[in-house]
Amino acid sequence: MAFNFSNFTKDLKSFGDKLTTEFNNEILPLAQRTNRIVQERIGKVNVDDISQLPSEYLELASKCNHIEQLYKNVLKITSNYENESYDYPSNAQESFTEFSKNISSRVSSLSKATTPAEAQAALINPTTGEYKPPKTLYHALSRATDGSILTSSSEPSQDPLIKGLDLYSSNLNKIANARLGQDQLIKSKFNKPLTTTLRSLISQSNNIQRKVDQKRIDYDLARANLAGCTNPAKEPQFRVAMENAEDEFANTVEDAINIMQNVLENAKPLEEFLELIRAQLAYHKLAAELLGGMVGEFEALLEENNKLSAGGHSSSRESGDFDI
């Protein structure tokens, strides 16, 4: 097969033209924009030569940016609710094999919970079987205060201390489970919506703001090129380029205003924070009820313990233990 030098030359020229076009349309404008940004930031460009953006655009952009910053700052904190052991004591050393209960059904029910009450019910109701105990502060404290550590008998004890420990351990376990319910609700009804808003809505605002900046710089560069033109023959070309850049800049600003208005209309920070409050309230309300209820019961146990102690001293005296 004979080598066709003419076709090779045409292909080479076509490739060269393509590279030139890409350079003129993409690489060169990017380099010019970058240089312009640097010049503006170091104060080498006259303020009058920097196009001002409409106040409506600036206000909307500021609101969108503030919501983005709020969401990111809050998520840095509330993402901890997705880590079960965020409050687990680092110095706790437990024998998990001594605490075997089944929570498979709880986890299944918890994943379907849509209200604080459902989440609490899924976690508080006891089940049977084996499971790996949750690693939270209150679960650890509940296990550490189980009354069984003071007796080897499987029969219910009448000792006030053991009864008190069993009561405290049981209620603390319910509070700890409620905390897991709170965490699940915060994850599904607060963290997830905020993350979705950042990815779907706020990203639209960020993208259009970048495009506005780009079109603004392109327009200012076109104005500068026209103002600095010393060749009358090229002035019409620079003027057309400037007018086209001005139209693109104005249209992009208008698009940006519409997009950012839509972002602010669809972002629901107050509704999302209400869900956070509801989840926290449900947990703290249950904790307050259980802890408050134990106060009276412990006061009764203390009175019972005092009576037993007094009875023990009386028996000792009657048996002659204190005779002189």
Side-chain angles (χ1 to χ4, degrees), residues 32-52 216-225 227:
Q32 291 175 336
R33 289 190 203 108
T34 302
N35 181 64
R36 175 74 179 200
I37 292 172
V38 172
Q39 294 298 311
E40 289 182 359
R41 288 182 177 176
I42 63 176
K44 295 293 185 179
V45 178
N46 193 301
V47 175
D48 295 334
D49 294 330
I50 300 176
S51 297
Q52 299 301 305
R216 194 272 303 168
I217 291 174
D218 288 347
Y219 171 54
D220 288 346
L221 284 171
R223 285 199 302 150
N225 290 336

Side-chain angles (χ1 to χ4, degrees), residues 259-279:
I259 289 173
M260 291 189 293
Q261 284 176 337
N262 180 68
V263 168
L264 295 174
E265 288 172 3
N266 288 279
K268 307 292 184 182
L270 284 176
E271 293 180 14
E272 289 156 350
F273 274 93
L274 177 58
E275 293 296 339
L276 174 65
I277 293 169
R278 283 173 173 163

